[in-house]
Amino acid sequence: MTRLERFRSEVPQPDPDRLRANEDRLLAAIAQDARRLGQDEEGRPRRFGQDEEGRPRRFGQDAEGRPRRFGQDAEGRPRRAPFRLPRPAQGAQGRARRTASRLRRFGLVTGLAAALAAGAVVVATRRADPPAVIRTMPAAASEVLTRAAQNATRTPELHPEPGQFLVYESRTMDPATGEDRDRRPMRYLSRAVRKVWLPVDGDATGGFIEEEVLEPKPWPGWPIPPEARENLGRHGPSKLADFDDRAEFLRNDYAYVSRLPTDPRKMYEHLYTQLGNTRQDDTDAWDRVRGLLTEAYLPAAQRAALFRAAAAIPGVVTVEHAVDAAGRAGIAAARVDPVLGQRQEYIFDRETYLYLGERSVVTDAARAGAPVGTVLTSSAQLSVSVADHGPSAAARD
């Protein structure tokens, strides 16, 4: 509509006198045709089928008896459909009408734009809202996670309070890719020991991190670049993050996760928030489990519900022997990500079913860029505790 309005504004307004003259000629021609059709030359009503002189006229002939083509008048001229030119408004009254007309058009356009905008808002609102549940939780297929849920309440429970910090100590290994100083591609596995303070009632921007960067490991088939060893040693404590723009349903701070459902079916729906019913959606839901296990602490009731919900995600298998980043052996619940060509494993102690950590193992060499069986990602959750304060200001400097 806006483009149409712009095109119309670029066309010059016709001269009113010229329009009037054309209109008068047109109306006169129409009146003449009407007389020819309905009256004789003396104004008497003409019977159907007679010509201007009252003689019988054959259907399809002109005034001289010649065949008349479709769209021609009685004299063989092209017949135009009767119409009335818009009468140009004059003076103040005319300007007022034009203004009113423009306002009506503007109102229509504005109304349409408002309606479209309202529709966009509705769409945006609907996208922001969690979609309707399109799947229900199936029977649990993972014995490992089921047992982990059964044992969730057997470990001492933490009760952090608002204003306190949850302190996570872990050991990690993650892929590092990029370019070296000569803009050549490089790949290696970065390792570190982390200590993270996260506020009980806040996001990551209120957290701190202290990290010791360890000797890197090679990516299979790639040399370790010099850049990988530049930051070896201890760093921090320092601010953990400058921003945290995660969606609400992806939060993992204690204030949020302690309000998550304790019903496994509701927790299952939470894992599938804004997800559909495809294999990729199952992969995403499985990845969200990691977000609630890594540097996050759920109360026992929510933790048990999480394990039971995760056990019902399609495609979960058991890995009898898995090792975390600290070298601790356990049993894992796992699921293959066909896009990455890796199997994502959540590792539990074989006796207590306490969560130990996670790792990813290559299952498709072509997709992962590493031989089958290579461990590309690994972590070990070493401890979780509660602190009244974060690291001191002196320590952060």
Side-chain angles (χ1 to χ4, degrees), residues 51-124:
D51 59 13
E52 288 79 355
E53 298 178 355
R55 296 173 300 188
R57 174 180 295 170
R58 296 182 60 185
F59 181 78
Q61 291 182 341
D62 60 14
E64 299 179 358
R66 296 172 301 192
R68 187 167 64 231
R69 299 178 60 186
F70 179 77
Q72 291 181 334
D73 60 13
E75 298 177 354
R77 297 173 301 190
R79 187 189 299 278
R80 296 180 180 177
F83 69 98
R84 188 175 183 83
L85 288 171
R87 186 178 296 276
Q90 302 292 331
Q93 186 177 4
R95 288 194 295 274
R97 283 198 293 268
R98 288 199 299 274
T99 301
S101 176
R102 291 194 185 104
L103 288 175
R104 286 194 295 273
R105 291 200 302 271
F106 178 76
L108 174 63
V109 174
T110 304
L112 179 59
L116 292 173
V121 170
V122 170
V123 171

Side-chain angles (χ1 to χ4, degrees), residues 38-58:
Q39 295 177 344
D40 58 18
E41 290 182 342
E42 297 178 358
R44 294 172 299 190
R46 184 183 306 130
R47 297 178 60 185
F48 180 76
Q50 290 181 339
D51 59 13
E52 288 79 355
E53 298 178 355
R55 296 173 300 188
R57 174 180 295 170
R58 296 182 60 185

Side-chain angles (χ1 to χ4, degrees), residues 39-367:
Q39 295 177 344
D40 58 18
E41 290 182 342
E42 297 178 358
R44 294 172 299 190
R46 184 183 306 130
R47 297 178 60 185
F48 180 76
Q50 290 181 339
D51 59 13
E52 288 79 355
E53 298 178 355
R55 296 173 300 188
R57 174 180 295 170
R58 296 182 60 185
F59 181 78
Q61 291 182 341
D62 60 14
E64 299 179 358
R66 296 172 301 192
R68 187 167 64 231
R69 299 178 60 186
F70 179 77
Q72 291 181 334
D73 60 13
E75 298 177 354
R77 297 173 301 190
R79 187 189 299 278
R80 296 180 180 177
F83 69 98
R84 188 175 183 83
L85 288 171
R87 186 178 296 276
Q90 302 292 331
Q93 186 177 4
R95 288 194 295 274
R97 283 198 293 268
R98 288 199 299 274
T99 301
S101 176
R102 291 194 185 104
L103 288 175
R104 286 194 295 273
R105 291 200 302 271
F106 178 76
L108 174 63
V109 174
T110 304
L112 179 59
L116 292 173
V121 170
V122 170
V123 171
T125 302
R126 287 175 178 172
R127 286 186 176 182
D129 292 339
V133 176
I134 60 174
R135 59 190 295 169
T136 57
M137 178 178 167
S142 170
E143 185 178 357
V144 175
L145 289 168
T146 301
R147 291 187 179 181
Q150 293 169 347
N151 286 273
T153 59
R154 296 184 180 180
T155 54
E157 183 77 348
L158 299 178
H159 300 283
E161 299 290 337
Q164 292 184 312
F165 286 81
L166 278 164
V167 184
Y168 304 93
E169 296 186 60
S170 62
R171 191 182 183 101
T172 63
M173 182 180 74
D174 296 290
T177 61
E179 295 181 337
D180 61 14
R181 292 189 183 84
D182 298 325
R183 305 188 66 81
R184 294 173 301 189
M186 63 178 185
R187 286 183 175 186
Y188 63 94
L189 301 176
S190 175
R191 300 190 305 142
V193 176
R194 292 162 56 96
K195 186 174 184 179
V196 169
W197 292 259
L198 281 174
V200 170
D201 49 357
D203 58 30
T205 59
F208 302 93
I209 181 173
E210 183 180 61
E211 188 175 41
E212 181 181 3
V213 180
L214 305 176
E215 180 70 18
K217 294 184 66 175
W219 185 291
W222 291 70
I224 296 178
E227 290 82 352
R229 294 189 172 91
E230 290 180 346
N231 294 319
L232 295 182
R234 188 175 297 275
H235 304 275
S238 58
K239 188 174 182 179
L240 180 61
D242 292 327
F243 61 90
D244 188 346
D245 57 355
R246 288 176 295 182
E248 178 76 5
F249 59 87
L250 295 178
R251 287 175 54 187
N252 66 348
D253 57 278
Y254 185 81
Y256 180 77
V257 300
S258 61
R259 299 195 304 270
L260 289 179
T262 57
D263 178 359
R265 294 183 183 277
K266 295 295 184 182
M267 182 65 81
Y268 187 83
E269 294 175 7
H270 173 72
L271 291 176
Y272 279 86
T273 301
Q274 295 192 3
L275 294 180
N277 199 27
T278 67
R279 291 182 61 187
Q280 184 57 49
D281 294 321
D282 296 334
T283 300
D284 292 343
W286 184 249
D287 192 58
R288 289 180 181 180
V289 174
R290 178 172 57 178
L292 293 173
L293 292 176
T294 303
E295 293 179 347
Y297 182 81
L298 278 67
Q302 281 81 3
R303 196 159 62 244
L306 174 65
F307 291 148
R308 293 186 187 281
I313 294 176
V316 179
V317 298
T318 298
V319 176
E320 292 294 339
H321 183 73
V323 180
D324 69 8
R328 298 176 298 185
I331 188 170
R335 191 178 183 285
V336 173
D337 183 338
V339 175
L340 296 180
Q342 300 175 29
R343 184 179 63 242
Q344 181 65 40
E345 302 176 351
Y346 301 131
I347 307 169
F348 296 84
D349 181 90
R350 188 179 295 276
E351 299 297 328
T352 64
Y353 286 91
L354 179 69
Y355 176 69
L356 298 179
E358 51 88 23
R359 71 175 186 174
S360 63
V361 182
V362 173
T363 57
D364 186 325
R367 288 187 176 274

